[in-house]
Amino acid sequence: MVSIVDSQEEKISILNSMRAQQLDKVIIYSLDECSDEQWLEMLKNAWCLTVRTDEGPAGIAWFDNIYGKTAQSHFCPLRENFEHTAAFGKAIIQWLEDKLDVKMLTGITPVPFRQSKKMMPVWGFEEVLKMPEACYLAKYKKHVDGILYVRKS
């Protein structure tokens, strides 16, 4: 079941799960460390969603840079739910289209992120453009090319 993540406590709890699984450094690749305050600031003007299971949140997705009925997307399923990543993303996208009438989503993925490149087409995103040095990877202290993906409803 898709639900809105609106409390600061739940947002921090999900960040702590991401930290425990070292996913924070993957999804928030431009920072060496992401403090609770930075995380909450990042999500301040974003739509934040999760898919709930009996065990709790399956991960988080947030949508920012919202222009009318379009938004930039960020998906982070938790490791224990990786086998359900396709369903996780599809459920969230369906919820956005049904509840918010979203018409287009974009996403930028660093070229080296193979798992993201694999999932974007599964979720209905099309590769549109390779963007030179668009993504700063803090772990490596360098910029890498990014791929711009678009999903139209």
Side-chain angles (χ1 to χ4, degrees), residues 9-106:
E9 294 79 19
E10 187 173 16
K11 290 173 185 174
I12 296 299
S13 174
I14 293 172
L15 175 62
N16 286 332
S17 295
M18 289 165 47
R19 286 175 177 146
Q21 299 176 21
Q22 298 182 331
L23 293 170
D24 58 320
K25 293 179 180 10
V26 176
I27 192 73
I28 310 166
Y29 53 78
S30 62
L31 299 175
D32 285 318
E33 296 293 330
C34 183
S35 70
D36 292 357
E37 295 76 21
Q38 287 170 308
W39 176 244
L40 293 173
E41 183 65 26
M42 246 190 277
L43 300 180
K44 186 168 69 171
N45 295 312
W47 301 322
C48 302
L49 302 170
T50 190
V51 175
R52 298 217 178 275
T53 67
D54 292 339
E55 293 78 41
I60 190 168
W62 70 96
F63 303 86
D64 55 13
N65 297 321
I66 300 161
Y67 302 103
K69 294 187 181 269
T70 69
Q72 185 172 353
S73 56
H74 311 268
F75 294 89
C76 186
L78 297 175
R79 289 196 192 280
E80 61 268 21
N81 295 296
F82 273 5
E83 69 271 12
H84 303 294
T85 298
F88 169 80
K90 287 177 181 179
I92 287 176
I93 290 166
Q94 188 65 55
W95 189 94
L96 286 169
E97 290 175 349
D98 292 348
K99 304 287 186 192
L100 301 178
D101 195 29
V102 170
K103 300 297 184 198
M104 185 170 68
L105 296 172
T106 62

